[in-house]
């Protein structure tokens, strides 16, 4: 890893889980980590319930755009966190991988998305502590 680690969050539509995770990491890490997100079959827009759930905690992901997962992006990332993208996620030797089993917020209201948002925050905080140790 370089001085500034890069983390890529990947889910199928890049509209919910990966966008919330990227939002949390940007918010919590500031400039200490390069944050990326992508999807194996990106949606047209970010999930409105995910946008609202993140807005409730002061994080705006409304301007994010679902992006297609590209080989070069994955190859140049230090950590790849997958969230249900299955075999569509490329595997590169020497990369750190984590697979986060999280409920898909697609089609759910904000009430159902809040617990997913909070679980993602806890996982992002753990990851951040490992990537950028305090002190």
């Amino acid at each position: 890893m370089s001085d500034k680690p890069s983390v890529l969050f990947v889910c199928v539509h890049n509209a919910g889980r990966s966008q919330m995770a990227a939002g949390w990491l940007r918010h919590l890490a500031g400039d200490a980590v390069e944050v990326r997100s992508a999807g194996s079959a990106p949606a047209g827009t970010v999930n409105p319930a995910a946008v609202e759930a993140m807005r409730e905690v002061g994080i705006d992901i409304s301007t994010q755009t679902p992006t297609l997962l590209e080989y070069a992006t994955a190859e140049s990332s230090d950590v790849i966190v997958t969230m249900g993208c299955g075999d569509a996620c490329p595997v590169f030797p020497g990369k750190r991988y984590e697979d986060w089993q999280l409920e898909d917020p697609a089609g759910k209201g904000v009430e159902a998305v809040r617990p997913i948002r909070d679980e993602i925050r806890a996982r992002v905080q753990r990851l951040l502590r490992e990537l950028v140790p305090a002190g």
Side-chain angles (χ1 to χ4, degrees), residues 6-10 36-38 68-82 85 88-97:
S6 61
V7 177
L8 172 62
F9 295 104
V10 184
R36 306 165 173 181
S37 70
L68 180 64
L69 175 62
E70 295 187 6
Y71 183 92
T73 303
E75 186 177 37
S76 64
S77 298
D78 296 309
V79 179
I80 300 173
V81 178
T82 58
C85 67
C89 294
V91 175
F92 296 95
K95 300 289 177 195
R96 174 178 170 180
Y97 285 89

mmCIF file of all heavy atoms in Angstrom, residues 6-10 36-38 68-82 85 88-97:
data_model
loop_
_atom_site.group_PDB
_atom_site.id
_atom_site.type_symbol
_atom_site.label_atom_id
_atom_site.label_comp_id
_atom_site.label_asym_id
_atom_site.label_seq_id
_atom_site.Cartn_x
_atom_site.Cartn_y
_atom_site.Cartn_z
ATOM 1 N N SER A 6 -6.006 2.998 -0.881
ATOM 2 C CA SER A 6 -7.230 3.161 -1.669
ATOM 3 C C SER A 6 -8.153 1.979 -1.395
ATOM 4 O O SER A 6 -7.710 0.832 -1.330
ATOM 5 C CB SER A 6 -6.911 3.262 -3.162
ATOM 6 O OG SER A 6 -6.273 2.091 -3.598
ATOM 7 N N VAL A 7 -9.429 2.305 -1.216
ATOM 8 C CA VAL A 7 -10.436 1.293 -0.920
ATOM 9 C C VAL A 7 -11.516 1.362 -1.989
ATOM 10 O O VAL A 7 -12.020 2.447 -2.302
ATOM 11 C CB VAL A 7 -11.061 1.514 0.468
ATOM 12 C CG1 VAL A 7 -12.172 0.502 0.729
ATOM 13 C CG2 VAL A 7 -9.999 1.434 1.560
ATOM 14 N N LEU A 8 -11.847 0.215 -2.539
ATOM 15 C CA LEU A 8 -12.898 0.104 -3.543
ATOM 16 C C LEU A 8 -14.042 -0.706 -2.958
ATOM 17 O O LEU A 8 -13.854 -1.847 -2.544
ATOM 18 C CB LEU A 8 -12.363 -0.588 -4.802
ATOM 19 C CG LEU A 8 -13.375 -0.965 -5.883
ATOM 20 C CD1 LEU A 8 -14.064 0.278 -6.452
ATOM 21 C CD2 LEU A 8 -12.693 -1.761 -6.988
ATOM 22 N N PHE A 9 -15.234 -0.099 -2.910
ATOM 23 C CA PHE A 9 -16.444 -0.788 -2.464
ATOM 24 C C PHE A 9 -17.221 -1.209 -3.704
ATOM 25 O O PHE A 9 -17.497 -0.384 -4.574
ATOM 26 C CB PHE A 9 -17.315 0.145 -1.614
ATOM 27 C CG PHE A 9 -16.674 0.549 -0.313
ATOM 28 C CD1 PHE A 9 -16.125 1.809 -0.152
ATOM 29 C CD2 PHE A 9 -16.619 -0.340 0.754
ATOM 30 C CE1 PHE A 9 -15.545 2.187 1.044
ATOM 31 C CE2 PHE A 9 -16.037 0.032 1.960
ATOM 32 C CZ PHE A 9 -15.492 1.297 2.109
ATOM 33 N N VAL A 10 -17.586 -2.488 -3.765
ATOM 34 C CA VAL A 10 -18.262 -3.021 -4.949
ATOM 35 C C VAL A 10 -19.532 -3.760 -4.560
ATOM 36 O O VAL A 10 -19.517 -4.632 -3.692
ATOM 37 C CB VAL A 10 -17.348 -4.001 -5.719
ATOM 38 C CG1 VAL A 10 -18.034 -4.474 -6.998
ATOM 39 C CG2 VAL A 10 -16.004 -3.363 -6.051
ATOM 40 N N ARG A 36 -13.265 4.732 -3.451
ATOM 41 C CA ARG A 36 -13.845 4.431 -4.766
ATOM 42 C C ARG A 36 -15.042 3.512 -4.561
ATOM 43 O O ARG A 36 -15.089 2.750 -3.600
ATOM 44 C CB ARG A 36 -12.819 3.697 -5.630
ATOM 45 C CG ARG A 36 -11.503 4.416 -5.763
ATOM 46 C CD ARG A 36 -10.438 3.501 -6.308
ATOM 47 N NE ARG A 36 -9.211 4.235 -6.589
ATOM 48 C CZ ARG A 36 -8.135 3.685 -7.085
ATOM 49 N NH1 ARG A 36 -8.104 2.398 -7.350
ATOM 50 N NH2 ARG A 36 -7.067 4.408 -7.322
ATOM 51 N N SER A 37 -15.977 3.554 -5.492
ATOM 52 C CA SER A 37 -17.065 2.582 -5.465
ATOM 53 C C SER A 37 -17.487 2.292 -6.898
ATOM 54 O O SER A 37 -17.331 3.133 -7.790
ATOM 55 C CB SER A 37 -18.260 3.086 -4.639
ATOM 56 O OG SER A 37 -18.928 4.135 -5.284
ATOM 57 N N ALA A 38 -18.011 1.085 -7.098
ATOM 58 C CA ALA A 38 -18.412 0.670 -8.438
ATOM 59 C C ALA A 38 -19.376 -0.497 -8.327
ATOM 60 O O ALA A 38 -19.544 -1.080 -7.260
ATOM 61 C CB ALA A 38 -17.191 0.268 -9.260
ATOM 62 N N LEU A 68 -19.662 1.757 -13.421
ATOM 63 C CA LEU A 68 -19.326 0.391 -13.809
ATOM 64 C C LEU A 68 -17.958 0.010 -13.253
ATOM 65 O O LEU A 68 -16.994 0.778 -13.344
ATOM 66 C CB LEU A 68 -19.312 0.260 -15.337
ATOM 67 C CG LEU A 68 -18.968 -1.128 -15.888
ATOM 68 C CD1 LEU A 68 -20.028 -2.153 -15.471
ATOM 69 C CD2 LEU A 68 -18.843 -1.068 -17.403
ATOM 70 N N LEU A 69 -17.877 -1.169 -12.679
ATOM 71 C CA LEU A 69 -16.607 -1.697 -12.177
ATOM 72 C C LEU A 69 -15.674 -1.937 -13.356
ATOM 73 O O LEU A 69 -16.005 -2.676 -14.273
ATOM 74 C CB LEU A 69 -16.848 -3.010 -11.423
ATOM 75 C CG LEU A 69 -15.605 -3.750 -10.947
ATOM 76 C CD1 LEU A 69 -14.811 -2.907 -9.960
ATOM 77 C CD2 LEU A 69 -16.001 -5.079 -10.332
ATOM 78 N N GLU A 70 -14.516 -1.310 -13.303
ATOM 79 C CA GLU A 70 -13.527 -1.485 -14.359
ATOM 80 C C GLU A 70 -12.307 -2.202 -13.807
ATOM 81 O O GLU A 70 -11.914 -2.006 -12.659
ATOM 82 C CB GLU A 70 -13.145 -0.133 -14.958
ATOM 83 C CG GLU A 70 -14.317 0.528 -15.671
ATOM 84 C CD GLU A 70 -13.916 1.779 -16.418
ATOM 85 O OE1 GLU A 70 -12.702 2.091 -16.481
ATOM 86 O OE2 GLU A 70 -14.811 2.437 -16.948
ATOM 87 N N TYR A 71 -11.710 -2.997 -14.648
ATOM 88 C CA TYR A 71 -10.547 -3.805 -14.281
ATOM 89 C C TYR A 71 -9.449 -2.928 -13.680
ATOM 90 O O TYR A 71 -8.897 -3.242 -12.630
ATOM 91 C CB TYR A 71 -10.051 -4.518 -15.546
ATOM 92 C CG TYR A 71 -8.899 -5.459 -15.327
ATOM 93 C CD1 TYR A 71 -9.120 -6.805 -15.054
ATOM 94 C CD2 TYR A 71 -7.581 -5.009 -15.409
ATOM 95 C CE1 TYR A 71 -8.064 -7.688 -14.873
ATOM 96 C CE2 TYR A 71 -6.519 -5.885 -15.219
ATOM 97 C CZ TYR A 71 -6.765 -7.215 -14.964
ATOM 98 O OH TYR A 71 -5.727 -8.075 -14.769
ATOM 99 N N ALA A 72 -9.134 -1.813 -14.325
ATOM 100 C CA ALA A 72 -8.040 -0.942 -13.872
ATOM 101 C C ALA A 72 -8.311 -0.362 -12.490
ATOM 102 O O ALA A 72 -7.387 -0.216 -11.685
ATOM 103 C CB ALA A 72 -7.808 0.178 -14.879
ATOM 104 N N THR A 73 -9.564 -0.038 -12.207
ATOM 105 C CA THR A 73 -9.909 0.512 -10.892
ATOM 106 C C THR A 73 -9.665 -0.525 -9.811
ATOM 107 O O THR A 73 -9.076 -0.231 -8.768
ATOM 108 C CB THR A 73 -11.375 0.969 -10.866
ATOM 109 O OG1 THR A 73 -11.581 1.921 -11.914
ATOM 110 C CG2 THR A 73 -11.727 1.595 -9.536
ATOM 111 N N ALA A 74 -10.109 -1.738 -10.063
ATOM 112 C CA ALA A 74 -9.901 -2.810 -9.093
ATOM 113 C C ALA A 74 -8.417 -3.119 -8.936
ATOM 114 O O ALA A 74 -7.908 -3.254 -7.820
ATOM 115 C CB ALA A 74 -10.669 -4.057 -9.513
ATOM 116 N N GLU A 75 -7.715 -3.187 -10.040
ATOM 117 C CA GLU A 75 -6.294 -3.520 -10.010
ATOM 118 C C GLU A 75 -5.478 -2.489 -9.229
ATOM 119 O O GLU A 75 -4.513 -2.837 -8.550
ATOM 120 C CB GLU A 75 -5.763 -3.629 -11.441
ATOM 121 C CG GLU A 75 -4.337 -4.108 -11.507
ATOM 122 C CD GLU A 75 -3.851 -4.270 -12.936
ATOM 123 O OE1 GLU A 75 -4.224 -3.459 -13.799
ATOM 124 O OE2 GLU A 75 -3.086 -5.220 -13.176
ATOM 125 N N SER A 76 -5.878 -1.227 -9.296
ATOM 126 C CA SER A 76 -5.107 -0.172 -8.639
ATOM 127 C C SER A 76 -5.589 0.134 -7.217
ATOM 128 O O SER A 76 -5.097 1.065 -6.581
ATOM 129 C CB SER A 76 -5.136 1.103 -9.486
ATOM 130 O OG SER A 76 -6.457 1.595 -9.579
ATOM 131 N N SER A 77 -6.536 -0.639 -6.701
ATOM 132 C CA SER A 77 -7.027 -0.450 -5.335
ATOM 133 C C SER A 77 -6.269 -1.354 -4.375
ATOM 134 O O SER A 77 -5.917 -2.480 -4.727
ATOM 135 C CB SER A 77 -8.529 -0.757 -5.261
ATOM 136 O OG SER A 77 -9.252 0.136 -6.081
ATOM 137 N N ASP A 78 -6.022 -0.852 -3.167
ATOM 138 C CA ASP A 78 -5.316 -1.646 -2.158
ATOM 139 C C ASP A 78 -6.250 -2.633 -1.462
ATOM 140 O O ASP A 78 -5.866 -3.752 -1.150
ATOM 141 C CB ASP A 78 -4.694 -0.724 -1.103
ATOM 142 C CG ASP A 78 -3.633 0.175 -1.704
ATOM 143 O OD1 ASP A 78 -2.739 -0.340 -2.399
ATOM 144 O OD2 ASP A 78 -3.715 1.394 -1.482
ATOM 145 N N VAL A 79 -7.472 -2.181 -1.187
ATOM 146 C CA VAL A 79 -8.460 -3.009 -0.498
ATOM 147 C C VAL A 79 -9.724 -3.026 -1.346
ATOM 148 O O VAL A 79 -10.187 -1.971 -1.794
ATOM 149 C CB VAL A 79 -8.788 -2.452 0.908
ATOM 150 C CG1 VAL A 79 -9.842 -3.316 1.597
ATOM 151 C CG2 VAL A 79 -7.535 -2.346 1.755
ATOM 152 N N ILE A 80 -10.270 -4.210 -1.559
ATOM 153 C CA ILE A 80 -11.520 -4.349 -2.310
ATOM 154 C C ILE A 80 -12.542 -4.981 -1.382
ATOM 155 O O ILE A 80 -12.338 -6.093 -0.885
ATOM 156 C CB ILE A 80 -11.322 -5.192 -3.582
ATOM 157 C CG1 ILE A 80 -10.277 -4.517 -4.495
ATOM 158 C CG2 ILE A 80 -12.648 -5.387 -4.308
ATOM 159 C CD1 ILE A 80 -9.877 -5.340 -5.706
ATOM 160 N N VAL A 81 -13.617 -4.238 -1.133
ATOM 161 C CA VAL A 81 -14.697 -4.713 -0.272
ATOM 162 C C VAL A 81 -15.886 -5.028 -1.168
ATOM 163 O O VAL A 81 -16.440 -4.129 -1.815
ATOM 164 C CB VAL A 81 -15.085 -3.664 0.790
ATOM 165 C CG1 VAL A 81 -16.241 -4.180 1.646
ATOM 166 C CG2 VAL A 81 -13.887 -3.296 1.662
ATOM 167 N N THR A 82 -16.252 -6.306 -1.222
ATOM 168 C CA THR A 82 -17.399 -6.708 -2.037
ATOM 169 C C THR A 82 -18.629 -6.859 -1.153
ATOM 170 O O THR A 82 -18.528 -7.188 0.027
ATOM 171 C CB THR A 82 -17.103 -8.030 -2.772
ATOM 172 O OG1 THR A 82 -16.778 -9.040 -1.815
ATOM 173 C CG2 THR A 82 -15.955 -7.865 -3.756
ATOM 174 N N CYS A 85 -21.537 -8.979 -4.944
ATOM 175 C CA CYS A 85 -21.422 -8.936 -6.407
ATOM 176 C C CYS A 85 -21.020 -10.283 -6.984
ATOM 177 O O CYS A 85 -20.937 -10.442 -8.191
ATOM 178 C CB CYS A 85 -20.473 -7.834 -6.856
ATOM 179 S SG CYS A 85 -18.756 -8.066 -6.415
ATOM 180 N N ALA A 88 -18.820 -11.613 -10.377
ATOM 181 C CA ALA A 88 -18.540 -10.471 -11.239
ATOM 182 C C ALA A 88 -17.361 -9.658 -10.737
ATOM 183 O O ALA A 88 -16.822 -8.835 -11.453
ATOM 184 C CB ALA A 88 -19.772 -9.570 -11.338
ATOM 185 N N CYS A 89 -16.939 -9.875 -9.497
ATOM 186 C CA CYS A 89 -15.833 -9.118 -8.932
ATOM 187 C C CYS A 89 -14.509 -9.773 -9.305
ATOM 188 O O CYS A 89 -14.301 -10.948 -9.040
ATOM 189 C CB CYS A 89 -15.955 -9.048 -7.410
ATOM 190 S SG CYS A 89 -17.385 -8.115 -6.864
ATOM 191 N N PRO A 90 -13.607 -9.003 -9.925
ATOM 192 C CA PRO A 90 -12.315 -9.578 -10.296
ATOM 193 C C PRO A 90 -11.457 -9.841 -9.057
ATOM 194 O O PRO A 90 -11.610 -9.179 -8.044
ATOM 195 C CB PRO A 90 -11.678 -8.493 -11.161
ATOM 196 C CG PRO A 90 -12.320 -7.229 -10.727
ATOM 197 C CD PRO A 90 -13.713 -7.594 -10.287
ATOM 198 N N VAL A 91 -10.573 -10.806 -9.181
ATOM 199 C CA VAL A 91 -9.673 -11.147 -8.081
ATOM 200 C C VAL A 91 -8.240 -10.931 -8.558
ATOM 201 O O VAL A 91 -7.852 -11.412 -9.617
ATOM 202 C CB VAL A 91 -9.875 -12.614 -7.644
ATOM 203 C CG1 VAL A 91 -8.862 -12.996 -6.581
ATOM 204 C CG2 VAL A 91 -11.292 -12.818 -7.133
ATOM 205 N N PHE A 92 -7.485 -10.184 -7.772
ATOM 206 C CA PHE A 92 -6.093 -9.904 -8.096
ATOM 207 C C PHE A 92 -5.206 -10.418 -6.972
ATOM 208 O O PHE A 92 -5.470 -10.135 -5.803
ATOM 209 C CB PHE A 92 -5.867 -8.396 -8.267
ATOM 210 C CG PHE A 92 -6.618 -7.803 -9.405
ATOM 211 C CD1 PHE A 92 -7.851 -7.220 -9.206
ATOM 212 C CD2 PHE A 92 -6.096 -7.847 -10.688
ATOM 213 C CE1 PHE A 92 -8.565 -6.679 -10.256
ATOM 214 C CE2 PHE A 92 -6.796 -7.303 -11.753
ATOM 215 C CZ PHE A 92 -8.029 -6.725 -11.548
ATOM 216 N N PRO A 93 -4.150 -11.130 -7.303
ATOM 217 C CA PRO A 93 -3.231 -11.609 -6.270
ATOM 218 C C PRO A 93 -2.631 -10.428 -5.509
ATOM 219 O O PRO A 93 -2.356 -9.379 -6.089
ATOM 220 C CB PRO A 93 -2.141 -12.341 -7.072
ATOM 221 C CG PRO A 93 -2.760 -12.654 -8.391
ATOM 222 C CD PRO A 93 -3.767 -11.568 -8.637
ATOM 223 N N GLY A 94 -2.475 -10.609 -4.213
ATOM 224 C CA GLY A 94 -1.844 -9.580 -3.401
ATOM 225 C C GLY A 94 -2.761 -8.488 -2.900
ATOM 226 O O GLY A 94 -2.329 -7.615 -2.157
ATOM 227 N N LYS A 95 -4.012 -8.515 -3.300
ATOM 228 C CA LYS A 95 -4.976 -7.513 -2.821
ATOM 229 C C LYS A 95 -5.627 -8.009 -1.540
ATOM 230 O O LYS A 95 -5.785 -9.202 -1.330
ATOM 231 C CB LYS A 95 -6.085 -7.263 -3.850
ATOM 232 C CG LYS A 95 -5.620 -6.749 -5.174
ATOM 233 C CD LYS A 95 -5.152 -5.332 -5.065
ATOM 234 C CE LYS A 95 -4.620 -4.864 -6.414
ATOM 235 N NZ LYS A 95 -3.851 -3.648 -6.301
ATOM 236 N N ARG A 96 -6.002 -7.073 -0.725
ATOM 237 C CA ARG A 96 -6.776 -7.419 0.467
ATOM 238 C C ARG A 96 -8.245 -7.393 0.075
ATOM 239 O O ARG A 96 -8.737 -6.394 -0.455
ATOM 240 C CB ARG A 96 -6.508 -6.409 1.580
ATOM 241 C CG ARG A 96 -7.398 -6.640 2.788
ATOM 242 C CD ARG A 96 -7.097 -5.677 3.892
ATOM 243 N NE ARG A 96 -8.111 -5.762 4.927
ATOM 244 C CZ ARG A 96 -8.114 -5.036 6.015
ATOM 245 N NH1 ARG A 96 -7.134 -4.171 6.241
ATOM 246 N NH2 ARG A 96 -9.068 -5.158 6.897
ATOM 247 N N TYR A 97 -8.934 -8.486 0.347
ATOM 248 C CA TYR A 97 -10.364 -8.588 0.042
ATOM 249 C C TYR A 97 -11.163 -8.767 1.320
ATOM 250 O O TYR A 97 -10.736 -9.470 2.232
ATOM 251 C CB TYR A 97 -10.641 -9.799 -0.858
ATOM 252 C CG TYR A 97 -10.232 -9.574 -2.285
ATOM 253 C CD1 TYR A 97 -8.952 -9.881 -2.700
ATOM 254 C CD2 TYR A 97 -11.117 -9.039 -3.201
ATOM 255 C CE1 TYR A 97 -8.554 -9.666 -4.010
ATOM 256 C CE2 TYR A 97 -10.731 -8.821 -4.512
ATOM 257 C CZ TYR A 97 -9.450 -9.137 -4.905
ATOM 258 O OH TYR A 97 -9.056 -8.917 -6.196
#
